[in-house]
Amino acid sequence: MSSSAITANRPVPMILVLLLLGSFVAWSGTAKIQGSSPEPAAPPLPNRTPWTSSRIVGSPDPPPPFDVVRVFPNLKFTNPLLIVRDPAAKRFIVGEQSGVLYSFADDQDAQAELFFDLPRELETLDRLEGAEGVEAVYGLAFHPDFERNRQCFICYTLRGSDRSQPNLKDGTRVSRFTVTQTDPPRIDPSSEEIVISFLQGGHNGGDLHFGPDGFLYISTGDAASPNPPDPLNTGQDISDLLSSILRIDVDRKDEGRNYAIPDDNPFVSFEGARPEVWAYGFRNPWRMSFDRQTGELFVGDVGWELWEMVYRVEKGGNYGWAAMEGPQPIKSDQVGPTPIHPPLIELPHAIACSVTGGMVYRGKNFPELFGSYIFGDWETRRLWAARFEGGRTIEMPELARPSIRFVAFCENRDGELYFLDHEAGTIHTLERSQGGERNVAFPTTLSETGLFASVEHHEPADGVIPFQINSRQWLDGATAEHWAAFPGQSSATYYANGKPIRGLVDWHAFRMHFPKDAVLMRTLSLAERRLETQLLHYDGLEWRAYTFAWREDQTDADLVPAEGAEMELPELGPDRVWQFQSRGQCMSCHSNQSEYALAFLPEQLNRPGPDGKNQLVSLTEAGFLLRADDEERPLPPFDDTTAALEQSLADPANPDHPLDARARSYLHANCGHCHSDHGGGSVPLRLPFTLPLNALNAVDVPPTRGDFALPDARIITPGEPYSSTLYFRMAKFGRDRMPHIGSEQPDEEGLELVAQWITSMRSDAEQTGQSHEVEPSDPWISSPQSAMRLARKLGQGALPPSDRDALLAEAATIPSGPIRELFEGYLPSHVRGARTLGSNPRPRSILAIEGDPDRGAELFWSQSVQCGTCHHIGERGTAVGPDLSGIGELRSREDLLESLLEPSRRIEPKYATYAVATADGRLLTGLLVGRDEESVILRDVQGTEIVLAADNVDELRPSRTSLMPEGQIANLTAQQAADLLSYLESLKSASP
């Protein structure tokens, strides 16, 4: 894709720039950039046993119910960005990214006719005002009284001529134009009146719609590129026009403006605020729409690293950016003047990476979709239909998986939807699927897959090849065996400079291209018992993940449900549970940013294989791997010379390799796939081994997601692993440990390696000092560093039995918090009693248990849980938090559990907590129950109202955390949590 406005405005994941580390010279080859696609002509294959037994075809899941089909077959545009219906005629307008707009009749034989050549006309009329030209056109809206006044409004951006100053102060314009009465209609270029302008940048928003109230609504982004997040700190700032939905009156003009401010705009009287702001806290609001029936405003907001969001926008609403990205805190110390509203829809980057806001369906062709909000994703090219009850999404089935880039939605006069494809330049609509059913023959056991000649003896089928990797992931002590299977005699192709893959992600460049129905496989074993075999299947369009759980008798393995599962392993220790990840969790790591195949990549394969040869050499000699350049020209097979030029991870367990290379390779394999540009990590930390040390955003950098009470904490404190939050996250149990998928226990060898690496960063003068050795008798409970040292001795088995028992007995008395989480997993069952939820609960396990509402009621009103101190039911309880009378009618079982486990994830604005700093030095927290010119009134967690004089309030800010503390039910067992949940479900009326 060109370096155009759409590249800057969408969250296009940046290709990793592979920079060589000086300390990696022995392990790295030439730098690689990724890139496009058809397979090169293959050289003659050697005599190789083909894989012909595969039954991994299609999917066990049913296909989506709709297809997206092309309409208007004569129309094809160049990178279009917008499509709008002309309300005065049966015509549509499409705007190309370049700024040229066309109109066409609502007829299947229609031809495109020029509506407005914005770049040429602005240049002709000398209206560029020093800019180099038009960057893009983003929005078009016709006046509600268009048939009489012929007015339309266009949002476009200008491109600066000074490359060192990429943002233009007034480079985003919303202008008024007049449309001629001709057939076809055209815009009169001389009629332009600039209505409003604001800063132009990477995220411009730029959508325009008139609301049911007759006012013009304008979306604006944070005017920045993806990284770092919100560098202008505008997301929570209402003193400018960015990161907002603006609302203006274009039929009146205030003094000094070409528009007027509606009197009821929410921040008209707010000191220092821009009165145009209707709502704020958006990163890059990409497409908004009003429901033609209810008048509700829906906005799709493109996320950063983890989430894509859809909001139902309300007057004065704060939608979080950049304090939050959906449910994830980012710059949590920056919160605007009003509470943060949770998303109506939040999509993880496992299924969506660049949301395009859609429309509420009000057509007649598909009654089952009536009232559904239909929207898509620009990157994964999926389409959903969401239904809501109140502020909750109750269902969101996937409608279709077309190969189009949804960039804009439009409806015709009858309410039927059209979708615009940015890449192909074509227009599409829905029709019911005529495709086949799901693959009912998809293997449900490992023996049915065709991957093994003997499952019981773990012998692969002919043509399924083993391979080894350089740097293994930590999998709670499990070992891994790897295989690759390519159908027949097909091959994977390695592009030295990368080529895009045709399909879902063909704008993104990949080094390794796989044949259709290729399978990558890994079996995990613990204490000589096989636990699971994981498959990655490339269906020719996208990768899918499946897990097979081995039976206790080790004769076969069964397909795990899509939502995952877990299995108790009592023979491996008390309360030992093995968790099978959901398919979505698998794909959150095996993403496009990590090139999906984490193991079958050059940096992992570049090592001696089972036959003693370099695997890159042996794979190409056997015909499993081809080489090509970025012009599709075949290259000679790998030999020892060319393989030596490729990058290679070090083996973290090999002491002959340099310490820096070993530690960086360990972090790359375990963390780098998420902690990379757009890999999914919610903090700026970057851990690919190809980056220089100063590009990790870690060394001597304060953490942004918690310091675990470490004094003067840094992500990596040079020379001090016990003062480094990166090390602490690796050492702890429960929530917020890393890696958080596929691992629940600390890796002692990995911790020792990372500790040595961090310690080696000391200056020569500092290395003369000796680290303090802590004994159990030391006052370690008050010191996270001392606690970490003891936890490591515990994990390494370095304490005498008597000291170990004494330490664990004392650790069991520590309240929930960072220090206890260093010991939680070591506590024996006779010390901690029945297994409690702890800080890493498993929602699926709780939902699967039948609860007792009577026992749940006892818990609710008990002193151990203390729900009644904040909530009331009927006449009982305290009115601090929401009234829970009848909550079982309003919320699903899953929603109720989410609120118990993650109370800060969704907070109703009226129950948002506020932090107050007073002039006399007090810091207070509570619900804001009253505020006027004379006083501010808070209600604290005990229900006590605190009245503060307004002139004594220095700062009043909404908090992102709930009054209900995290871990409120951490000390309950799964059965007790299910009982409490059943009680809440039983509350169907106002009676207790």
Side-chain angles (χ1 to χ4, degrees):
M1 186 173 290
S2 63
S3 58
S4 50
I6 188 66
T7 304
N9 208 36
R10 307 295 290 179
V12 177
M14 304 299 291
I15 297 166
L16 290 178
V17 179
L18 303 182
L19 304 173
L20 293 178
L21 288 170
S23 60
F24 269 56
V25 172
W27 313 104
S28 302
T30 54
K32 302 297 168 192
I33 303 175
Q34 305 182 27
S36 169
S37 194
E39 302 296 337
L45 288 174
N47 185 18
R48 156 185 153 197
T49 303
W51 180 44
T52 60
S53 57
S54 174
R55 296 187 64 193
I56 309 294
V57 178
S59 169
D61 304 318
F66 289 88
D67 291 327
V68 170
V69 296
R70 185 176 176 183
V71 291
F72 307 113
N74 297 327
L75 301 179
K76 186 176 177 65
F77 303 94
T78 302
N79 297 131
L81 290 187
L82 66 86
I83 180 169
V84 178
R85 181 171 60 87
D86 175 349
K90 293 183 177 180
R91 299 186 76 84
F92 293 90
I93 312 298
V94 167
E96 294 182 337
Q97 183 173 319
S98 64
V100 180
L101 295 92
Y102 297 90
S103 75
F104 59 92
D106 188 3
D107 186 295
Q108 287 303 299
D109 297 323
Q111 301 288 335
E113 297 170 288
L114 183 66
F115 184 62
F116 189 31
D117 189 338
L118 178 64
R120 184 175 67 84
E121 298 295 352
L122 289 185
E123 185 174 0
T124 299
L125 296 172
D126 194 22
R127 303 214 58 177
L128 293 175
E129 298 180 5
E132 187 177 88
V134 171
E135 181 183 60
V137 59
Y138 287 120
L140 167 67
F142 290 93
H143 194 283
D145 199 17
F146 174 71
E147 294 191 49
R148 182 186 63 82
N149 63 26
R150 307 298 294 178
Q151 291 181 10
C152 73
F153 296 79
I154 296 177
C155 180
Y156 64 91
T157 57
L158 300 176
R159 182 174 59 253
S161 55
D162 183 356
R163 293 294 182 261
S164 65
Q165 299 289 332
N167 290 30
L168 296 181
K169 179 181 178 182
D170 295 302
T172 302
R173 293 176 176 174
V174 177
S175 291
R176 185 195 321 255
F177 292 92
T178 300
V179 180
T180 67
Q181 294 274 11
T182 57
D183 185 17
R186 293 198 175 186
I187 282 181
D188 176 5
S190 65
S191 65
E192 181 181 21
E193 176 189 55
I194 299 174
V195 176
I196 190 171
S197 62
F198 45 90
L199 185 69
Q200 165 269 351
H203 299 147
N204 295 304
D207 206 7
L208 304 178
H209 290 272
F210 279 92
D213 51 16
F215 296 129
L216 181 62
Y217 290 73
I218 306 165
S219 68
T220 71
D222 63 13
S225 296
N227 285 304
D230 194 17
L232 303 178
N233 292 322
T234 185
Q236 293 293 297
D237 183 0
I238 59 172
S239 67
D240 59 37
L241 299 178
L242 302 177
S243 290
S244 300
I245 305 298
L246 312 179
R247 178 180 184 248
I248 61 175
D249 183 350
V250 296
D251 292 330
R252 298 185 299 115
K253 295 184 179 181
D254 292 337
E255 184 177 353
R257 298 187 177 108
N258 284 333
Y259 58 92
I261 305 297
D263 294 338
D264 61 342
N265 269 13
F267 301 110
V268 166
S269 301
F270 202 98
E271 184 178 355
R274 287 296 298 255
E276 297 91 340
V277 174
W278 175 257
Y280 68 100
F282 302 96
R283 180 176 183 264
N284 183 23
W286 189 259
R287 299 305 170 209
M288 59 182 180
S289 66
F290 287 94
D291 181 353
R292 61 158 61 181
Q293 182 167 306
T294 67
E296 294 172 307
L297 176 60
F298 293 87
V299 174
D301 193 24
V302 176
W304 179 51
E305 292 282 5
L306 285 177
W307 299 95
E308 302 296 309
M309 288 74 65
V310 173
Y311 297 105
R312 183 161 49 194
V313 175
E314 301 174 2
K315 175 182 178 179
N318 175 3
Y319 295 92
W321 183 252
M324 307 285 287
E325 178 202 19
Q328 295 294 326
I330 306 298
K331 294 183 174 182
S332 54
D333 59 332
Q334 300 177 12
V335 182
T338 56
I340 293 174
H341 292 235
L344 188 62
I345 299 170
E346 50 198 33
L347 300 113
H349 276 188
I351 61 173
C353 288
S354 183
V355 70
T356 294
M359 309 186 82
V360 176
Y361 179 73
R362 298 297 180 186
K364 298 179 180 179
N365 289 349
F366 310 111
E368 67 271 34
L369 298 180
F370 190 83
S372 297
Y373 177 73
I374 296 177
F375 70 104
D377 190 77
W378 188 80
E379 182 180 332
T380 63
R381 309 185 188 205
R382 292 179 173 180
L383 189 71
W384 295 274
R387 289 187 180 277
F388 317 112
E389 281 186 4
R392 298 261 164 178
T393 302
I394 57 172
E395 63 175 1
M396 197 182 75
E398 190 172 351
L399 289 188
R401 286 190 183 179
S403 293
I404 73 170
R405 290 209 181 282
F406 295 100
V407 74
F409 288 68
C410 178
E411 60 180 357
N412 65 17
R413 287 179 176 238
D414 298 324
E416 303 303 331
L417 296 184
Y418 291 141
F419 320 124
L420 189 60
D421 181 358
H422 173 262
E423 185 170 65
T426 48
I427 303 169
H428 303 257
T429 193
L430 282 176
E431 72 174 24
R432 286 192 174 86
S433 177
Q434 303 301 314
E437 297 297 319
R438 68 184 181 93
N439 180 9
V440 294
F442 192 91
T444 58
T445 63
L446 200 56
S447 58
E448 295 173 348
T449 62
L451 288 162
F452 288 93
S454 169
V455 171
E456 184 174 0
H457 296 98
H458 215 219
E459 296 176 0
D462 288 343
V464 178
I465 56 166
F467 65 92
Q468 297 175 352
I469 62 174
N470 280 315
S471 183
R472 297 179 180 273
Q473 291 180 319
W474 167 246
L475 301 162
D476 286 350
T479 58
E481 299 172 82
H482 296 264
W483 293 269
F486 303 152
Q489 291 197 334
S490 59
S491 307
T493 302
Y494 172 62
Y495 291 90
N497 293 317
K499 294 293 289 183
I501 290 179
R502 305 306 302 176
L504 285 180
V505 288
D506 57 347
W507 63 270
H508 184 64
F510 293 80
R511 291 169 294 163
M512 199 74 77
H513 288 218
F514 292 86
K516 184 178 184 299
D517 289 324
V519 174
L520 300 175
M521 178 170 62
R522 178 172 74 168
T523 292
L524 305 184
S525 302
L526 192 61
E528 299 184 358
R529 173 180 172 176
R530 291 189 288 272
L531 299 177
E532 63 178 294
T533 294
Q534 304 167 340
L535 308 185
L536 274 177
H537 171 226
Y538 181 58
D539 66 7
L541 189 63
E542 63 180 315
W543 287 92
R544 299 175 185 268
Y546 303 102
T547 296
F548 291 80
W550 281 83
R551 299 171 186 170
E552 189 173 358
D553 63 8
Q554 301 286 278
T555 58
D556 209 343
D558 300 297
L559 182 65
V560 172
E563 65 273 14
E566 53 189 29
M567 174 174 63
E568 292 186 359
L569 300 172
E571 69 274 22
L572 298 179
D575 300 327
R576 186 70 190 268
V577 174
W578 186 264
Q579 186 167 6
F580 302 102
Q581 307 301 324
S582 71
R583 295 174 195 169
Q585 285 176 310
C586 294
M587 297 313 296
S588 67
C589 291
H590 293 281
S591 68
N592 65 336
Q593 293 308 298
S594 61
E595 299 194 69
Y596 295 107
L598 295 175
F600 205 87
L601 291 172
E603 57 268 23
Q604 286 281 23
L605 296 172
N606 194 4
R607 56 161 290 145
D611 60 358
K613 282 187 177 182
N614 184 293
Q615 285 183 136
L616 294 177
V617 176
S618 58
L619 286 168
T620 52
E621 288 180 348
F624 288 100
L625 184 61
L626 307 178
R627 294 179 70 222
D629 64 16
D630 55 5
E631 298 297 328
E632 313 291 345
R633 294 172 299 211
L635 295 174
F638 274 115
D639 56 26
D640 290 338
T641 300
T642 53
L645 296 175
E646 291 296 324
Q647 292 171 336
S648 177
L649 291 168
D651 179 356
N654 188 341
D656 293 334
H657 292 176
L659 174 62
D660 185 71
R662 293 165 57 207
R664 293 295 307 279
S665 295
Y666 178 91
L667 293 172
H668 175 96
N670 286 279
C671 315
H673 44 275
C674 288
H675 288 291
S676 60
D677 283 343
H678 301 284
S682 61
V683 295
L685 177 66
R686 297 292 177 262
L687 292 174
F689 82 109
T690 50
L691 295 177
L693 197 63
N694 61 7
L696 304 188
N697 298 324
V699 180
D700 211 24
V701 174
T704 59
R705 289 287 305 276
D707 59 12
F708 304 108
L710 295 171
D712 195 27
R714 296 292 188 267
I715 298 175
I716 294 175
T717 303
E720 295 290 342
Y722 299 125
S723 296
S724 303
T725 60
L726 181 146
Y727 185 86
F728 197 103
R729 289 185 184 277
M730 291 175 59
K732 71 188 294 291
F733 293 89
R735 184 172 296 169
D736 294 328
R737 75 165 259 101
M738 291 292 170
H740 68 283
I741 294 179
S743 166
E744 295 189 356
Q745 298 183 339
D747 174 10
E748 294 300 336
E749 292 183 2
L751 280 164
E752 179 62 23
L753 173 64
V754 171
Q756 291 178 13
W757 176 58
I758 295 175
T759 301
S760 73
M761 297 180 190
R762 273 193 201 135
S763 67
D764 292 339
E766 292 173 322
Q767 294 200 36
T768 59
Q770 296 187 1
S771 62
H772 173 54
E773 289 295 327
V774 179
E775 300 301 331
S777 58
D778 287 358
W780 56 273
I781 293 180
S782 62
S783 168
Q785 293 100 324
S786 298
M788 263 200 288
R789 289 184 173 92
L790 279 177
R792 296 287 54 77
K793 287 190 172 186
L794 192 62
Q796 295 163 2
L799 291 176
S802 59
D803 285 352
R804 175 185 172 89
D805 292 344
L807 175 61
L808 290 176
E810 190 170 2
T813 67
I814 303 172
S816 297
I819 292 180
R820 182 183 175 102
E821 289 167 356
L822 292 169
F823 299 92
E824 191 77 42
Y826 301 124
L827 297 176
S829 56
H830 74 273
V831 172
R832 63 181 168 181
R835 184 179 175 216
T836 60
L837 299 178
S839 56
N840 194 25
R842 296 181 175 86
R844 291 192 303 274
S845 299
I846 300 170
L847 293 170
I849 298 173
E850 183 177 352
D852 183 318
D854 292 333
R855 292 198 304 260
E858 292 180 16
L859 279 169
F860 186 93
W861 298 109
S862 71
Q863 288 300 307
S864 60
V865 180
Q866 297 183 323
C867 296
T869 61
C870 286
H871 299 286
H872 65 283
I873 297 173
E875 300 300 320
R876 189 178 182 185
T878 306
V880 176
D883 180 358
L884 299 184
S885 305
I887 191 67
E889 292 179 332
L890 303 175
R891 303 275 294 277
S892 70
R893 182 176 173 86
E894 292 78 6
D895 282 347
L896 289 170
L897 181 58
E898 179 189 89
S899 294
L900 290 172
L901 297 178
E902 300 182 76
S904 296
R905 182 160 184 169
R906 294 176 180 271
I907 305 172
E908 294 182 43
K910 66 179 178 179
Y911 294 111
T913 58
Y914 278 73
V916 177
T918 64
D920 56 13
R922 288 180 291 166
L923 296 175
L924 304 168
T925 301
L927 300 179
L928 182 65
V929 295
R931 181 184 184 187
D932 56 31
E933 294 180 356
E934 296 182 355
S935 64
V936 172
I937 305 174
L938 296 180
R939 182 182 295 133
D940 67 15
V941 70
Q942 284 79 33
T944 303
E945 289 194 355
I946 304 169
V947 181
L948 302 169
D951 58 7
N952 189 31
V953 175
D954 276 353
E955 185 176 23
L956 177 66
R957 289 279 183 177
S959 170
R960 64 177 179 84
T961 58
S962 170
L963 273 182
M964 177 178 170
E966 296 286 339
Q968 179 84 352
I969 63 171
N971 292 325
L972 300 185
T973 65
Q975 179 64 63
Q976 289 174 317
D979 294 341
L980 182 59
L981 194 57
S982 293
Y983 173 58
L984 295 174
E985 278 189 290
S986 72
L987 300 175
K988 303 294 187 181
S989 67
S991 59

